[in-house]
Amino acid sequence: MAEMCGNCKNFFEPRVGGVCRAHPPVARADGTATWPAVSRSDWCGEYKVAPPPANPGIRRLATA
Ligand code: SF4
């Protein structure tokens, strides 16, 4: 799996462009705070592989 924001456990909100939540939100001049915007293809040294998505179908088969 490629080491990029789109595959990182710190990447959130992929439908609105994506933000990195590796660190707390950063304060802005207007008094709000937000996480840094990143794109799926960005990358940094704090990359952490995201856990595999839950697969309810397989879980259902295993418990049937
Ligand atoms: S900037 Fe780094 S820590 Fe944040 S989502 Fe991208 S790879 Fe992960």
Side-chain angles (χ1 to χ4, degrees):
M1 183 179 293
E3 291 187 5
M4 57 188 218
C5 293
N7 297 327
C8 179
K9 76 175 232 177
N10 296 315
F11 184 71
F12 285 88
E13 301 173 1
R15 289 188 187 141
V16 295
V19 296
C20 173
R21 291 188 177 173
H23 297 282
V26 178
R28 294 197 282 189
D30 64 1
T32 62
T34 186
W35 287 275
V38 294
S39 69
R40 297 185 67 82
S41 59
D42 286 341
W43 178 89
C44 86
E46 295 189 46
Y47 170 83
K48 290 193 173 60
V49 65
N55 189 331
I58 289 180
R59 215 176 289 139
R60 247 182 267 123
L61 285 173
T63 56

